[in-house]
Coordinates of all heavy atoms in Angstrom, one line a residue:
M1 N 104.9 98.7 100.8 CA 105.4 97.6 101.7 C 104.6 96.4 101.6 O 103.7 96.3 100.9 CB 105.4 98.1 103.2 CG 106.6 99.1 103.5 SD 108.2 98.3 103.1 CE 108.4 97.0 104.3
F2 N 104.9 95.4 102.4 CA 104.2 94.2 102.4 C 104.0 93.6 103.8 O 104.7 93.9 104.7 CB 104.8 93.1 101.4 CG 106.3 92.9 101.7 CD1 106.7 92.0 102.7 CD2 107.2 93.7 101.0 CE1 108.0 91.8 102.9 CE2 108.6 93.5 101.3 CZ 109.0 92.6 102.2
S3 N 102.9 92.8 103.8 CA 102.6 92.2 105.1 C 103.4 91.0 105.5 O 104.0 90.3 104.6 CB 101.1 91.8 105.1 OG 100.9 90.8 104.1
N4 N 103.4 90.6 106.7 CA 104.0 89.4 107.2 C 103.4 88.1 106.5 O 104.1 87.2 106.1 CB 103.8 89.2 108.7 CG 104.8 90.0 109.5 OD1 105.8 90.4 108.9 ND2 104.5 90.2 110.7
K5 N 102.1 88.2 106.2 CA 101.4 87.1 105.6 C 102.0 86.9 104.2 O 102.2 85.8 103.8 CB 99.9 87.4 105.5 CG 99.1 86.2 105.5 CD 97.6 86.6 105.6 CE 96.8 85.7 104.7 NZ 95.5 86.3 104.4
K6 N 102.2 88.0 103.5 CA 102.7 87.9 102.1 C 104.2 87.4 102.1 O 104.6 86.6 101.3 CB 102.6 89.2 101.4 CG 102.8 89.1 99.9 CD 102.5 90.3 99.2 CE 101.0 90.5 99.0 NZ 100.7 91.7 98.3
F7 N 104.9 87.8 103.1 CA 106.3 87.4 103.3 C 106.3 85.8 103.5 O 107.1 85.1 103.0 CB 106.9 88.1 104.5 CG 108.4 87.9 104.6 CD1 109.3 88.4 103.7 CD2 108.9 87.1 105.7 CE1 110.7 88.2 103.9 CE2 110.2 86.9 105.8 CZ 111.1 87.4 104.9
Q8 N 105.4 85.4 104.4 CA 105.3 83.9 104.6 C 105.0 83.2 103.4 O 105.6 82.1 103.1 CB 104.2 83.6 105.7 CG 104.7 83.9 107.1 CD 106.0 83.2 107.5 OE1 106.2 82.1 107.1 NE2 106.8 84.0 108.2
K9 N 104.1 83.7 102.6 CA 103.7 83.1 101.3 C 104.9 83.0 100.4 O 105.1 82.0 99.7 CB 102.6 83.8 100.6 CG 101.2 83.5 101.1 CD 100.2 84.3 100.3 CE 98.8 83.7 100.4 NZ 97.9 84.5 99.5
A10 N 105.6 84.1 100.3 CA 106.8 84.1 99.5 C 107.8 83.0 99.9 O 108.4 82.3 99.1 CB 107.5 85.5 99.5
K11 N 108.0 82.9 101.2 CA 108.9 81.9 101.7 C 108.5 80.5 101.4 O 109.3 79.5 101.4 CB 109.1 82.1 103.3 CG 109.9 83.3 103.6 CD 110.7 83.2 104.8 CE 109.9 82.9 106.1 NZ 110.8 83.0 107.3
E12 N 107.2 80.3 101.2 CA 106.7 78.9 100.9 C 107.0 78.5 99.5 O 106.8 77.4 99.1 CB 105.2 78.9 101.2 CG 104.9 78.8 102.7 CD 103.4 79.1 102.9 OE1 102.6 79.0 102.0 OE2 103.1 79.3 104.1
I13 N 107.3 79.5 98.6 CA 107.7 79.1 97.2 C 109.1 78.4 97.3 O 110.0 79.0 97.7 CB 107.8 80.4 96.3 CG1 106.4 81.1 96.3 CG2 108.2 80.0 94.9 CD1 106.4 82.4 95.6
P14 N 109.1 77.2 96.8 CA 110.4 76.5 96.8 C 111.4 77.1 95.9 O 111.1 77.5 94.8 CB 110.1 75.0 96.4 CG 108.6 75.0 96.1 CD 108.1 76.4 96.2
D15 N 112.7 77.0 96.3 CA 113.7 77.6 95.4 C 113.8 76.9 94.0 O 114.1 77.6 93.0 CB 115.1 77.3 96.1 CG 115.4 78.3 97.2 OD1 114.6 79.3 97.3 OD2 116.4 78.1 97.9
E16 N 113.4 75.7 94.0 CA 113.5 75.0 92.6 C 112.4 75.5 91.7 O 112.4 75.2 90.5 CB 113.5 73.5 92.8 CG 112.4 72.9 93.6 CD 112.8 72.7 95.1 OE1 113.6 73.5 95.6 OE2 112.3 71.8 95.8
N17 N 111.4 76.3 92.2 CA 110.4 76.9 91.3 C 110.9 78.1 90.6 O 110.2 78.7 89.8 CB 109.1 77.2 92.1 CG 108.3 75.9 92.4 OD1 108.9 74.8 92.4 ND2 107.1 76.1 92.7
L18 N 112.1 78.6 91.0 CA 112.6 79.8 90.5 C 113.8 79.6 89.6 O 114.7 78.8 89.8 CB 113.1 80.6 91.7 CG 113.5 82.1 91.5 CD1 113.2 83.0 92.7 CD2 115.0 82.2 91.2
E19 N 113.7 80.2 88.4 CA 114.7 80.1 87.4 C 115.3 81.5 87.2 O 114.6 82.5 87.0 CB 114.2 79.6 86.1 CG 114.2 78.1 85.9 CD 113.7 77.8 84.5 OE1 114.5 77.9 83.5 OE2 112.4 77.6 84.4
T20 N 116.6 81.6 87.2 CA 117.2 82.9 86.9 C 117.4 83.1 85.4 O 118.0 82.2 84.7 CB 118.6 83.0 87.5 OG1 118.5 82.8 88.9 CG2 119.2 84.4 87.3
D21 N 116.8 84.1 84.8 CA 117.0 84.4 83.4 C 118.4 85.2 83.2 O 119.2 84.8 82.4 CB 115.9 85.3 82.8 CG 114.7 84.5 82.5 OD1 114.8 83.2 82.3 OD2 113.6 85.0 82.3
Y22 N 118.5 86.2 84.0 CA 119.8 86.9 83.9 C 120.0 87.8 85.1 O 119.0 88.3 85.7 CB 120.0 87.7 82.6 CG 118.9 88.9 82.5 CD1 119.0 90.1 83.1 CD2 117.9 88.7 81.6 CE1 118.1 91.1 82.9 CE2 116.9 89.7 81.4 CZ 117.1 90.9 82.1 OH 116.1 91.9 81.9
I23 N 121.2 88.1 85.5 CA 121.6 89.1 86.5 C 122.7 89.9 85.9 O 123.7 89.4 85.6 CB 122.0 88.5 87.8 CG1 120.9 87.6 88.4 CG2 122.4 89.6 88.8 CD1 121.2 86.9 89.7
C24 N 122.4 91.2 85.6 CA 123.4 92.1 85.0 C 124.3 92.7 86.1 O 123.8 92.9 87.2 CB 122.8 93.2 84.2 SG 121.8 92.5 82.8
P25 N 125.5 93.1 85.8 CA 126.4 93.7 86.7 C 125.8 95.1 87.2 O 126.0 95.5 88.4 CB 127.7 94.0 86.0 CG 127.6 93.1 84.8 CD 126.2 92.8 84.5
D26 N 125.0 95.7 86.4 CA 124.4 97.0 86.9 C 123.2 96.8 87.8 O 122.6 97.8 88.2 CB 124.0 97.9 85.7 CG 122.9 97.2 84.8 OD1 122.4 96.2 85.2 OD2 122.5 97.8 83.8
G27 N 122.8 95.6 88.1 CA 121.7 95.3 89.0 C 120.4 94.9 88.4 O 119.5 94.5 89.1
D28 N 120.3 95.1 87.1 CA 119.1 94.6 86.5 C 119.0 93.1 86.5 O 120.1 92.4 86.4 CB 119.0 95.1 85.0 CG 118.7 96.5 84.9 OD1 118.5 97.2 85.9 OD2 118.6 97.0 83.7
M29 N 117.9 92.5 86.7 CA 117.8 91.1 86.8 C 116.4 90.6 86.4 O 115.4 91.3 86.5 CB 118.2 90.5 88.2 CG 117.4 91.2 89.3 SD 118.1 90.7 90.9 CE 119.2 92.1 91.2
Q30 N 116.3 89.3 86.0 CA 115.0 88.8 85.6 C 115.0 87.3 86.0 O 115.9 86.6 85.9 CB 114.8 88.9 84.1 CG 113.4 88.4 83.7 CD 113.1 88.7 82.3 OE1 113.0 89.9 81.9 NE2 112.9 87.7 81.5
Y31 N 113.8 86.9 86.6 CA 113.6 85.5 87.0 C 112.3 85.0 86.4 O 111.4 85.8 86.1 CB 113.5 85.4 88.5 CG 114.7 85.9 89.3 CD1 114.8 87.2 89.7 CD2 115.7 85.0 89.6 CE1 115.9 87.7 90.4 CE2 116.8 85.4 90.3 CZ 116.9 86.8 90.7 OH 118.0 87.2 91.4
R32 N 112.2 83.7 86.3 CA 110.9 83.1 86.1 C 110.5 82.3 87.3 O 111.3 81.5 87.8 CB 110.9 82.3 84.9 CG 110.4 83.1 83.6 CD 110.7 82.4 82.3 NE 112.1 82.2 82.3 CZ 112.7 81.1 81.7 NH1 112.0 80.2 81.2 NH2 114.0 81.0 81.7
I33 N 109.3 82.4 87.8 CA 108.8 81.7 88.9 C 107.6 80.8 88.5 O 106.6 81.3 88.0 CB 108.4 82.6 90.1 CG1 109.7 83.3 90.6 CG2 107.8 81.8 91.2 CD1 109.5 84.2 91.8
H34 N 107.8 79.5 88.7 CA 106.8 78.6 88.2 C 105.8 78.3 89.4 O 106.3 78.1 90.5 CB 107.4 77.3 87.8 CG 108.4 77.5 86.7 ND1 108.1 77.8 85.4 CD2 109.8 77.4 86.7 CE1 109.2 77.9 84.7 NE2 110.2 77.7 85.4
S35 N 104.5 78.3 89.1 CA 103.6 77.9 90.1 C 102.8 76.7 89.4 O 103.1 76.3 88.3 CB 102.6 79.0 90.5 OG 101.7 79.2 89.4
K36 N 101.8 76.2 90.1 CA 101.1 75.0 89.7 C 100.6 75.2 88.2 O 100.7 74.4 87.4 CB 99.9 74.7 90.6 CG 99.9 73.3 91.1 CD 98.8 73.0 92.0 CE 99.0 73.5 93.4 NZ 97.8 73.6 94.3
N37 N 99.9 76.4 88.0 CA 99.3 76.6 86.7 C 99.9 77.6 85.8 O 99.5 77.7 84.7 CB 97.8 77.0 87.0 CG 97.1 76.1 87.9 OD1 97.1 74.9 87.7 ND2 96.5 76.6 89.0
D38 N 100.9 78.3 86.3 CA 101.4 79.4 85.5 C 102.9 79.6 85.8 O 103.5 79.1 86.7 CB 100.7 80.7 86.0 CG 99.7 81.1 85.0 OD1 100.0 81.2 83.8 OD2 98.5 81.4 85.4
T39 N 103.5 80.4 84.9 CA 104.8 80.9 85.1 C 104.8 82.4 85.1 O 104.2 83.0 84.2 CB 105.8 80.4 84.0 OG1 105.8 78.9 84.1 CG2 107.2 80.9 84.2
Y40 N 105.4 83.0 86.1 CA 105.4 84.5 86.2 C 106.9 85.0 85.9 O 107.8 84.3 86.3 CB 104.9 84.9 87.5 CG 103.6 84.4 87.8 CD1 103.4 83.4 88.8 CD2 102.5 84.9 87.2 CE1 102.1 82.9 89.0 CE2 101.2 84.4 87.5 CZ 101.0 83.4 88.4 OH 99.8 82.9 88.6
T41 N 106.9 86.1 85.3 CA 108.3 86.7 85.0 C 108.4 87.9 86.0 O 107.6 88.8 86.1 CB 108.4 87.2 83.6 OG1 108.2 86.1 82.7 CG2 109.7 87.8 83.3
V42 N 109.5 87.8 86.8 CA 109.8 88.9 87.8 C 111.0 89.6 87.3 O 112.0 88.9 87.0 CB 110.0 88.3 89.2 CG1 110.5 89.4 90.1 CG2 108.8 87.6 89.7
S43 N 111.0 90.9 87.2 CA 112.2 91.6 86.7 C 112.4 92.8 87.6 O 111.5 93.4 88.2 CB 112.0 92.1 85.3 OG 111.0 93.0 85.2
C44 N 113.7 93.2 87.7 CA 114.1 94.4 88.3 C 114.9 95.2 87.3 O 116.0 94.8 87.0 CB 114.9 94.2 89.6 SG 115.5 95.7 90.4
I45 N 114.3 96.3 86.8 CA 115.0 97.1 85.8 C 115.0 98.5 86.2 O 113.9 99.1 86.6 CB 114.3 96.9 84.4 CG1 114.4 95.4 84.0 CG2 114.9 97.9 83.4 CD1 113.6 95.0 82.8
N46 N 116.1 99.1 86.3 CA 116.3 100.5 86.8 C 115.7 100.6 88.2 O 115.0 101.6 88.5 CB 115.7 101.5 85.9 CG 116.5 101.6 84.6 OD1 117.7 101.4 84.5 ND2 115.8 101.9 83.5
H47 N 115.9 99.6 89.0 CA 115.5 99.6 90.4 C 114.0 99.4 90.6 O 113.4 99.6 91.7 CB 115.9 100.8 91.2 CG 117.4 101.1 91.0 ND1 118.4 100.3 91.5 CD2 118.0 102.1 90.3 CE1 119.6 100.8 91.1 NE2 119.4 101.9 90.4
I48 N 113.2 99.2 89.5 CA 111.8 99.0 89.7 C 111.5 97.5 89.5 O 111.8 96.9 88.4 CB 111.0 99.8 88.7 CG1 111.2 101.3 89.0 CG2 109.5 99.5 88.7 CD1 110.5 102.3 88.0
W49 N 110.9 96.9 90.5 CA 110.5 95.5 90.4 C 109.1 95.4 89.8 O 108.2 96.1 90.1 CB 110.4 94.9 91.8 CG 111.8 94.7 92.4 CD1 112.5 95.5 93.3 CD2 112.6 93.5 92.3 NE1 113.7 95.0 93.6 CE2 113.8 93.7 93.1 CE3 112.4 92.3 91.6 CZ2 114.8 92.8 93.1 CZ3 113.5 91.3 91.7 CH2 114.6 91.6 92.5
R50 N 109.0 94.4 88.9 CA 107.8 94.2 88.2 C 107.5 92.7 88.2 O 108.4 91.9 88.2 CB 107.8 94.6 86.8 CG 107.8 96.1 86.6 CD 107.7 96.5 85.1 NE 107.4 97.9 84.9 CZ 108.3 98.8 84.9 NH1 109.6 98.5 85.0 NH2 108.0 100.1 84.7
C51 N 106.2 92.3 88.1 CA 105.9 90.9 88.0 C 104.7 90.8 87.0 O 104.0 91.8 86.8 CB 105.5 90.3 89.3 SG 105.0 88.6 89.3
T52 N 104.5 89.6 86.4 CA 103.4 89.5 85.5 C 102.2 88.8 86.1 O 101.2 88.5 85.3 CB 103.9 88.6 84.3 OG1 104.4 87.4 84.8 CG2 105.0 89.3 83.5
C53 N 102.1 88.7 87.4 CA 101.0 88.0 88.0 C 99.8 89.0 88.2 O 100.0 90.3 88.1 CB 101.3 87.4 89.3 SG 101.5 88.6 90.7
E54 N 98.6 88.5 88.4 CA 97.4 89.4 88.5 C 97.5 90.3 89.7 O 97.1 91.4 89.7 CB 96.2 88.5 88.7 CG 95.6 88.1 87.3 CD 94.5 87.1 87.5 OE1 93.8 87.2 88.6 OE2 94.3 86.2 86.6
D55 N 98.1 89.8 90.8 CA 98.2 90.5 92.0 C 99.0 91.8 91.7 O 98.5 92.9 92.1 CB 98.9 89.7 93.1 CG 99.0 90.3 94.4 OD1 98.1 91.2 94.7 OD2 99.9 90.0 95.2
Y56 N 100.1 91.7 91.0 CA 100.9 92.9 90.7 C 100.2 93.8 89.7 O 100.2 95.0 89.9 CB 102.3 92.4 90.2 CG 103.1 93.6 89.9 CD1 103.9 94.2 90.8 CD2 103.2 94.2 88.6 CE1 104.7 95.3 90.6 CE2 103.9 95.3 88.3 CZ 104.7 95.8 89.3 OH 105.5 96.9 89.0
M57 N 99.6 93.2 88.7 CA 99.0 93.9 87.6 C 97.8 94.8 88.2 O 97.7 95.9 87.8 CB 98.3 93.0 86.6 CG 99.3 92.3 85.7 SD 100.3 93.5 84.8 CE 101.6 92.4 84.2
Y58 N 97.2 94.3 89.2 CA 96.1 95.0 89.8 C 96.6 96.2 90.6 O 95.9 97.2 90.6 CB 95.3 94.0 90.7 CG 94.1 94.6 91.3 CD1 92.9 94.9 90.6 CD2 94.1 95.0 92.7 CE1 91.8 95.5 91.1 CE2 93.0 95.5 93.2 CZ 91.8 95.8 92.5 OH 90.7 96.4 93.0
A59 N 97.7 96.1 91.2 CA 98.2 97.1 92.1 C 99.1 98.1 91.5 O 99.4 99.2 92.1 CB 98.9 96.5 93.3
K60 N 99.7 97.8 90.4 CA 100.8 98.6 89.9 C 100.4 100.0 89.5 O 101.3 100.9 89.6 CB 101.4 97.9 88.6 CG 100.6 98.0 87.4 CD 101.3 97.5 86.2 CE 100.4 97.6 85.0 NZ 100.9 97.1 83.7
E61 N 99.2 100.2 89.1 CA 98.8 101.6 88.7 C 99.1 102.6 89.8 O 99.6 103.6 89.6 CB 97.3 101.6 88.4 CG 96.8 100.5 87.5 CD 97.1 100.9 86.0 OE1 97.0 102.0 85.7 OE2 97.5 100.0 85.3
K62 N 98.7 102.2 91.0 CA 98.8 103.1 92.1 C 100.2 103.1 92.7 O 100.6 104.0 93.4 CB 97.8 102.6 93.2 CG 96.4 103.0 93.0 CD 95.5 102.7 94.2 CE 94.3 101.9 93.7 NZ 93.6 101.3 94.9
H63 N 100.9 101.9 92.6 CA 102.1 101.7 93.4 C 103.3 101.3 92.5 O 104.1 100.5 93.0 CB 101.9 100.6 94.4 CG 100.7 100.8 95.2 ND1 100.6 101.7 96.3 CD2 99.5 100.2 95.2 CE1 99.4 101.6 96.8 NE2 98.7 100.7 96.2
L64 N 103.4 101.9 91.4 CA 104.5 101.5 90.5 C 105.9 101.6 91.2 O 106.2 102.7 91.7 CB 104.6 102.3 89.2 CG 105.7 101.9 88.2 CD1 105.5 100.4 87.7 CD2 105.8 102.8 87.1
G65 N 106.6 100.6 91.3 CA 107.9 100.6 91.9 C 107.9 100.4 93.4 O 108.9 100.2 94.1
S66 N 106.7 100.4 94.0 CA 106.7 100.2 95.5 C 105.7 99.1 95.9 O 105.4 98.9 97.0 CB 106.3 101.5 96.2 OG 105.1 101.9 95.8
Y67 N 105.3 98.3 94.9 CA 104.4 97.2 95.2 C 105.1 95.9 95.0 O 105.8 95.7 94.0 CB 103.1 97.2 94.3 CG 102.2 96.1 94.7 CD1 101.4 96.2 95.9 CD2 102.2 94.9 94.0 CE1 100.6 95.1 96.3 CE2 101.4 93.8 94.4 CZ 100.6 94.0 95.6 OH 99.9 92.9 96.0
F68 N 105.0 95.0 96.0 CA 105.8 93.8 96.0 C 104.8 92.6 96.1 O 104.2 92.4 97.2 CB 106.8 93.7 97.1 CG 107.8 94.8 97.1 CD1 107.6 96.0 97.7 CD2 109.0 94.7 96.4 CE1 108.5 97.1 97.6 CE2 109.9 95.7 96.3 CZ 109.7 96.9 96.9
C69 N 104.6 91.9 95.1 CA 103.8 90.7 95.2 C 104.7 89.6 95.7 O 105.9 89.7 95.9 CB 103.3 90.3 93.8 SG 104.5 89.7 92.7
K70 N 104.1 88.4 96.0 CA 104.9 87.4 96.7 C 106.1 86.8 95.8 O 107.1 86.4 96.3 CB 104.0 86.2 97.1 CG 103.4 85.4 96.0 CD 102.6 84.3 96.6 CE 101.9 83.5 95.5 NZ 101.1 82.4 96.0
H71 N 105.9 87.0 94.5 CA 106.9 86.5 93.5 C 108.1 87.4 93.6 O 109.3 87.0 93.6 CB 106.4 86.4 92.1 CG 105.1 85.7 92.0 ND1 103.9 86.3 91.8 CD2 104.9 84.3 92.1 CE1 103.0 85.3 91.8 NE2 103.5 84.2 92.0
I72 N 107.9 88.7 93.7 CA 108.9 89.7 93.8 C 109.7 89.5 95.1 O 110.9 89.5 95.2 CB 108.4 91.1 93.7 CG1 107.9 91.4 92.3 CG2 109.5 92.1 94.0 CD1 107.2 92.8 92.1
I73 N 108.9 89.3 96.2 CA 109.5 89.1 97.5 C 110.4 87.8 97.4 O 111.5 87.8 98.0 CB 108.4 89.0 98.6 CG1 107.7 90.3 98.7 CG2 109.1 88.7 99.9 CD1 106.4 90.2 99.5
K74 N 109.9 86.8 96.8 CA 110.6 85.6 96.7 C 112.0 85.8 96.0 O 113.0 85.4 96.4 CB 109.8 84.5 95.9 CG 110.6 83.2 95.6 CD 111.0 82.5 96.8 CE 111.9 81.3 96.5 NZ 112.3 80.6 97.7
A75 N 111.9 86.6 94.9 CA 113.1 86.9 94.1 C 114.1 87.7 95.0 O 115.3 87.4 94.9 CB 112.8 87.6 92.8
I76 N 113.6 88.6 95.8 CA 114.5 89.4 96.6 C 115.1 88.5 97.7 O 116.3 88.6 98.0 CB 113.7 90.6 97.3 CG1 113.3 91.6 96.2 CG2 114.5 91.2 98.3 CD1 112.3 92.6 96.6
I77 N 114.3 87.7 98.3 CA 114.8 86.8 99.3 C 115.9 85.9 98.7 O 117.0 85.7 99.2 CB 113.7 85.9 99.9 CG1 112.7 86.7 100.7 CG2 114.3 84.8 100.8 CD1 111.5 85.9 101.1
Y78 N 115.6 85.3 97.6 CA 116.5 84.4 96.9 C 117.8 85.1 96.5 O 118.9 84.5 96.7 CB 115.8 83.9 95.6 CG 116.6 82.8 94.9 CD1 116.6 81.5 95.3 CD2 117.4 83.1 93.8 CE1 117.3 80.5 94.6 CE2 118.1 82.2 93.1 CZ 118.0 80.9 93.5 OH 118.7 79.9 92.9
T79 N 117.7 86.3 96.1 CA 118.9 87.0 95.6 C 119.8 87.6 96.7 O 121.0 87.5 96.7 CB 118.5 88.2 94.7 OG1 117.6 87.7 93.7 CG2 119.7 88.8 94.0
F80 N 119.1 88.2 97.7 CA 119.8 88.9 98.7 C 119.9 88.3 100.1 O 120.8 88.7 100.9 CB 119.2 90.4 98.8 CG 119.3 91.1 97.5 CD1 118.1 91.3 96.8 CD2 120.5 91.6 97.0 CE1 118.1 92.0 95.6 CE2 120.5 92.3 95.8 CZ 119.3 92.5 95.1
L81 N 118.9 87.5 100.4 CA 118.9 87.0 101.8 C 119.1 85.6 102.0 O 119.0 85.1 103.1 CB 117.5 87.4 102.4 CG 117.1 88.9 102.3 CD1 115.7 89.1 102.9 CD2 118.1 89.7 103.2
K82 N 119.4 84.9 100.9 CA 119.5 83.4 101.0 C 120.7 83.1 101.9 O 121.8 83.6 101.7 CB 119.7 82.9 99.6 CG 119.3 81.5 99.5 CD 119.3 81.0 98.0 CE 119.2 79.5 97.9 NZ 120.0 79.0 96.9
E83 N 120.4 82.1 102.8 CA 121.5 81.6 103.6 C 122.3 80.6 102.8 O 121.8 79.7 102.3 CB 120.9 81.0 104.9 CG 120.4 82.0 105.9 CD 119.6 81.4 107.0 OE1 119.9 80.3 107.4 OE2 118.6 82.0 107.4
K84 N 123.6 80.8 102.7 CA 124.4 79.9 101.9 C 125.1 78.9 102.8 O 125.4 79.1 104.0 CB 125.5 80.8 101.2 CG 124.9 81.9 100.4 CD 124.9 81.6 98.9 CE 123.8 82.4 98.2 NZ 124.2 83.3 97.3
Ligands
ZN1 ZN1 103.8 88.3 91.2

């Protein structure tokens, strides 16, 4: 799970920093999220969310599939919770 603080950080990432690479009908998807110094790739493949940032890389060993960095949270908000 993730903390409120991380959720807030995810909400602070502007939508225009997010680029959709693809969204497949079966639910697999990939995004790129640009930050000041880097671009991270966020993907959801076979229901497992992954990110290329250090935060995720550090935690994934223990929590594969259940760790959400702020980029992943941003992608989820953008995809599923965005107010249209
Ligand atoms: Zn990340």
Side-chain angles (χ1 to χ4, degrees):
M1 280 306 293
F2 49 86
S3 62
N4 280 341
K5 206 174 143 199
K6 195 171 281 183
F7 189 72
Q8 283 306 321
K9 276 183 160 182
K11 290 211 300 188
E12 284 165 15
I13 300 172
D15 282 352
E16 50 269 31
N17 286 19
L18 189 147
E19 267 183 86
T20 304
D21 277 343
Y22 61 78
I23 299 177
C24 296
D26 65 2
D28 287 0
M29 53 190 94
Q30 184 172 299
Y31 300 92
R32 267 167 301 145
I33 297 181
H34 305 287
S35 73
K36 233 180 282 166
N37 307 310
D38 255 312
T39 298
Y40 304 106
T41 302
V42 174
S43 63
C44 179
I45 296 169
N46 293 328
H47 312 291
I48 295 177
W49 286 93
R50 289 186 168 86
C51 182
T52 54
C53 75
E54 274 174 31
D55 186 24
Y56 182 86
M57 290 298 169
Y58 183 74
K60 72 170 178 183
E61 309 282 321
K62 285 186 228 166
H63 309 282
L64 181 65
S66 62
Y67 183 77
F68 300 90
C69 68
K70 66 178 180 180
H71 310 107
I72 293 174
I73 297 166
K74 174 64 189 179
I76 292 171
I77 294 169
Y78 185 82
T79 308
F80 300 107
L81 304 175
K82 207 174 164 212
E83 288 167 35
K84 306 254 152 116

